[in-house]
DNA sequence: GGGATTTCCTGTTGGC
DNA sequence: TGCCAACAGGAAATCC
């Protein structure tokens, strides 16, 4: 499931291959769920056909394609979305929702569960795209500090992990890295966000940055669906300390890892190390 | 407005 | 072996 490290891995892999390429043809099915009501296929084709890709950026878990028209193509991979390049004419796999024929190959967006989405933003209006609008700070930017995180948690009664998943105090964390960051910071994910002490917020801020940077260096985490270059797996799965390790021993104290349900999601943590 | 819950979706897994 | 229910989860919608 692509979170910030997986999206960043895909971005850095594709950026060099896409920069300067022209979109010759757009193939998509009108009414496809990945477009929701945000953009019609007709408008997407008008906006993309003949345009040059000037760069591929990322905001949180969103991939942002900058076009020479000033427009932006925005893709969220959801849970099972993948982007990759095919040879021209090579058939796309099942669940291909968007295909961009470029100069020498085709970029395809494949997503079986259709939790992903494809959007379009006009010049200067990237911040108005649903999802990007209320997105918190980038965790790996210098501007993301303990003070900034504290401001996002202040007064909040939701569990700290739920707040992290909301993308508002900070962008880019999903279930895996929210669990891992809480573990590294020694914070019980069920505690109210607003009750964390300054030293705890500082530890959480540092843990978020650390776990994301480490995972990017490992090309992300592959549990099941996520793959990066030509089907390669992300190597961070071997370094997970609590996520998906219910009943196993805590690597720090030996206590059994617990699992709790939090708003319909599973949270993994050590009762002894996380308070 | 905040917080909790539900919904969307399909491939995989576990139980019977 | 085969069927079916449960489960996985990001983000938006809905309810209280």
């Amino acid at each position: 499931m692509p979170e910030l490290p997986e999206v960043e891995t895909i971005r850095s892999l594709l950026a060099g291959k896409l920069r300067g390429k022209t979109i010759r043809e757009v193939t998509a099915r009108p009414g496809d769920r990945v477009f929701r009501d945000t953009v019609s296929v007709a408008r997407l084709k008008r906006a993309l056909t003949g345009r040059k890709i000037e760069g591929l950026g990322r905001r949180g878990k969103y991939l942002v394609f900058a076009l020479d028209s000033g427009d932006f193509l925005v893709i969220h991979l959801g849970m099972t979305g993948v982007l990759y390049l095919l040879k021209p004419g090579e058939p796309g796999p099942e669940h291909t929702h968007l295909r961009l024929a470029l100069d020498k190959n085709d970029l395809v967006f494949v997503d079986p569960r259709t939790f992903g989405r494809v959007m379009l933003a006009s010049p200067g209006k990237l911040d108005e795209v649903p999802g990007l609008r209320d997105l918190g700070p980038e965790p790996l930017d210098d501007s993301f500090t303990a003070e900034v995180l504290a401001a996002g948690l202040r007064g909040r009664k939701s569990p700290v992990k739920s707040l992290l998943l909301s993308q508002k105090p900070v962008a880019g964390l999903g279930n895996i890295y929210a669990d891992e960051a809480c573990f590294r910071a020694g914070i019980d994910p069920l505690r109210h966000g607003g009750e964390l002490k300054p030293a705890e917020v500082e530890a959480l801020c540092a843990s978020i940055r650390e776990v994301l940077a480490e995972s990017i260096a490992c090309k992300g985490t592959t549990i099941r669906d996520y793959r990066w270059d030509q089907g390669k797996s992300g190597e961070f799965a071997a370094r997970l300390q609590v996520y998906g390790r219910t009943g196993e021993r805590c690597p720090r104290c030996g206590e059994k890892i617990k699992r709790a349900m939090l708003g319909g999601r599973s949270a993994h943590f050590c009762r002894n190390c996380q308070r």
Side-chain angles (χ1 to χ4, degrees):
Chain A
M1 40 221 85
E3 302 180 27
L4 188 151
E6 291 75 34
V7 176
E8 177 57 27
T9 299
I10 290 167
R11 188 207 65 76
S12 66
L13 176 77
L14 289 178
K17 298 182 179 181
L18 298 180
R19 192 174 301 119
K21 299 293 186 295
T22 300
I23 301 169
R24 305 288 178 193
E25 193 183 352
V26 177
T27 309
R29 201 177 65 247
D32 190 313
R33 204 183 114 80
V34 299
F35 304 112
R36 307 293 198 282
D37 296 327
T38 318
V39 63
S40 70
V41 166
R43 180 168 166 240
L44 196 71
K45 287 187 176 182
R46 274 199 308 275
L48 300 186
T49 307
R51 305 301 357 167
K52 190 178 278 186
I53 299 172
E54 292 198 324
L56 178 57
R58 179 190 58 73
R59 179 78 175 90
K61 304 176 200 171
Y62 293 81
L63 282 165
V64 180
F65 296 72
L67 306 177
D68 63 352
S69 58
D71 285 339
F72 298 98
L73 170 68
V74 180
I75 297 182
H76 191 295
L77 299 174
M79 251 184 90
T80 51
V82 282
L83 274 178
Y84 51 85
L85 293 166
L86 294 177
K87 294 190 182 78
E90 188 179 346
E94 203 182 348
H95 309 297
T96 297
H97 300 281
L98 178 67
R99 183 171 187 136
L100 305 181
L102 307 173
D103 298 324
K104 287 182 178 164
N105 41 31
D106 294 4
L107 179 72
V108 291
F109 172 51
V110 182
D111 184 11
R113 289 182 216 178
T114 66
F115 275 38
R117 61 191 306 174
V118 176
M119 296 168 286
L120 198 61
S122 304
K125 299 202 170 168
L126 190 57
D127 289 343
E128 295 177 18
V129 167
L132 286 181
R133 210 163 19 209
D134 304 316
L135 209 54
E138 276 299 311
L140 298 176
D141 280 1
D142 290 341
S143 58
F144 178 62
T145 61
E147 290 71 30
V148 169
L149 179 58
L153 301 177
R154 194 166 295 137
R156 304 302 301 274
K157 289 179 178 167
S158 294
V160 62
K161 187 183 166 187
S162 300
L163 293 170
L164 294 178
L165 292 179
S166 75
Q167 309 300 304
K168 291 194 173 74
V170 59
L173 294 181
N175 215 25
I176 296 174
Y177 300 108
D179 274 353
E180 293 297 312
C182 285
F183 175 75
R184 289 183 184 217
I187 291 167
D188 181 342
L190 279 74
R191 276 179 66 194
H192 293 175
E195 72 179 37
L196 296 194
K197 296 183 175 61
E200 293 174 320
V201 176
E202 197 152 324
L204 184 58
C205 179
S207 296
I208 289 168
R209 297 174 68 109
E210 182 187 276
V211 75
L212 294 176
E214 265 182 46
S215 182
I216 289 171
C218 290
K219 309 289 185 196
T221 302
T222 296
I223 301 289
R224 188 177 300 161
D225 303 291
Y226 162 75
R227 294 284 186 279
W228 59 292
D229 193 12
Q230 310 294 330
K232 286 182 198 157
S233 297
E235 299 300 328
F236 195 73
R239 296 205 201 176
L240 295 176
Q241 295 181 291
V242 287
Y243 180 85
R245 299 200 182 278
T246 311
E248 293 181 31
R249 297 288 174 189
C250 167
R252 209 174 283 161
C253 73
E255 189 82 11
K256 278 191 178 174
I257 303 292
K258 299 284 181 194
R259 175 172 178 266
M261 293 310 285
L262 201 59
R265 319 264 175 88
S266 52
H268 310 78
F269 61 104
C270 171
R271 274 197 207 288
N272 190 38
C273 296
Q274 295 174 256
R275 306 267 175 169

